[in-house]
Amino acid sequence: MFHPFVTDFFSDFVTLLVVLNPVAKLPIFLAQTAALDSKTRNRVAMWAIVISFGVLMFFLVAGQFLLQGLGVGLTAFRMAGSLVLLLFALSMIFDNAHPPPPGATDTTPLERAIFPIAMPALAGPGTMLTIVVLTDNDRFDWVHQVDTAMALVLALAICFIVMRFATLLVQVLRRAGISILSRVMGLILAALAVEGMLASTRSFIHSL
Amino acid sequence: MTTNFLTDFITLLVVLNPLGKLPIFLATTVGLERAVRNRVAFHAVLISFGILIFFLVAGQVLLQALGVGLNTFRLAGSLVLLLFALSMIFDTVQTPPPTQPDVSPTERAVFPLAMPSIAGPGTMLTVVVLTDKDRFHWAEQGSTALALILVLALVYLVMRFATPLVQFLRRAGISILSRVMGLILAAVAMEGMVVSVLAILRQL
């Protein structure tokens, strides 16, 4: 019914949106920007999206060569990525979602956008892996890879819109609400990370 | 219906373990006056109820949509519980540091009382399993919700009665109680990890 270009685009878009999971990234964004005014907050959101896009495009184009060049299999990459994700999820559960201590007021908006919003929240190991898998050079021609890149742009645009709306949510949720959301999401993220570790262990064992 | 309710009630009571929350509550509210302490207790129970009802209604759908199996969720949850238990054993009893006097009662109620202590991973998992949408219709799920309310009311009562215990136990007593309970919680967490790892291995 639809041209394969359209259906591929849609399936890539949904996959990327699920992996990027903008709503789950809200608590991280809110916690990082709790003490900033709304203009700076929007700038942090913009920077985070631009940086994520750059990192992910790099992996889209060069990720597979890089991993092959280093002799790292996709399974090993996924396992390492899931471990990073698990540790990040644990910090979401256990850390106090307080604004940065007064000693660290000199972190610029750009630095906050890089860590932890762009890396590892948005352009995290899970997203990088998904990008590399979706554009596997042995299976997809360049038209399809451009298709995936367009889906990535749209998914990141939605992440940006969610972060823009976050400013409104700050007033509604308060710090306690953000804290609850962050911890519940952290638990779900931890489960996703363990799932990734199990899946990669399984394919390790099968490939023996 | 009645036996179902009783089974759910006892299961939730064992998992929630109201007495086990005492040391955490005492440690969190050290140095607070009585009225504030009661407010922390009330907020913690209310927030826990909200989180657990959310998992009762939407937990299964959420986990299925994300492709996370119940065993995986249990493994991850047990890991979180183990880390929390270790912090109970090794950390010094936390008094709010002087740089952060603005920690509101609600925030203390959220962490570490509601999450991960009362509405912890174990409780969430239990609620999801007890209301498995493939096995129970909505009336049974309602009875599970009622059992949950009753158990949470018990948790609240224990925390209310904790207030006189503060004078009796002092900081040293709370510290000892907290560490012993931490060790028991660590054992419960290990049990959960072993059970879920075994279940996952069997599926291989």
Side-chain angles (χ1 to χ4, degrees), chain B residues 21-32 37 40 84 93-96 103-105 107-114 117 159 174 178:
Chain B
K21 304 298 177 272
L22 245 179
I24 303 163
F25 177 70
L26 292 179
T28 316
T29 57
V30 155
L32 294 180
R37 197 176 283 147
V40 171
F84 182 63
V93 176
Q94 280 172 356
T95 43
V103 186
S104 70
E107 280 177 277
R108 285 174 208 244
V110 174
F111 180 84
L113 268 176
S117 168
M159 289 196 286
I174 297 168
S178 176

Side-chain angles (χ1 to χ4, degrees), chain B residues 140-159:
Chain B
E140 285 170 305
Q141 297 183 26
S143 113
T144 308
L146 274 179
L148 177 65
I149 291 173
L150 209 60
V151 175
L152 281 177
L154 273 178
V155 174
Y156 176 68
L157 281 181
V158 167
M159 289 196 286

Side-chain angles (χ1 to χ4, degrees), chain A residues 56-68 132 137:
Chain A
L56 290 173
M57 276 311 281
F58 171 76
F59 266 85
L60 193 151
V61 175
Q64 201 171 2
F65 296 114
L66 193 68
L67 290 178
Q68 273 168 1
V132 172
N137 296 338

Side-chain angles (χ1 to χ4, degrees), chain B residues 164-204:
Chain B
L165 272 175
V166 177
Q167 279 106 47
F168 180 68
L169 284 174
R170 313 271 179 93
R171 289 252 294 263
I174 297 168
S175 175
I176 295 168
L177 200 60
S178 176
R179 279 160 226 279
V180 172
M181 286 315 237
L183 192 60
I184 293 169
L185 196 63
V188 171
M190 280 310 291
E191 180 76 37
M193 289 176 86
V194 170
V195 169
S196 47
V197 166
L198 283 180
I200 290 164
L201 281 180
R202 254 183 234 121
Q203 287 167 0
L204 274 181

Side-chain angles (χ1 to χ4, degrees), chain A residues 117-161:
Chain A
I117 301 172
M119 285 274 293
L122 282 174
T127 325
M128 289 176 190
L129 179 88
T130 310
I131 282 286
V132 172
V133 172
L134 285 180
T135 57
D136 187 342
N137 296 338
D138 301 332
R139 281 162 57 216
F140 304 110
D141 57 18
W142 68 269
V143 178
H144 187 108
Q145 297 190 22
V146 170
D147 209 11
T148 308
M150 283 167 57
L152 175 65
V153 171
L154 191 64
L156 281 176
I158 288 185
C159 292
F160 178 68
I161 292 168

Side-chain angles (χ1 to χ4, degrees), chain B residues 80-100:
Chain B
V80 171
L81 216 58
L82 179 66
L83 292 176
F84 182 63
L86 290 177
S87 82
M88 276 176 74
I89 298 171
F90 289 108
D91 284 2
T92 48
V93 176
Q94 280 172 356
T95 43
T99 42
Q100 288 176 355

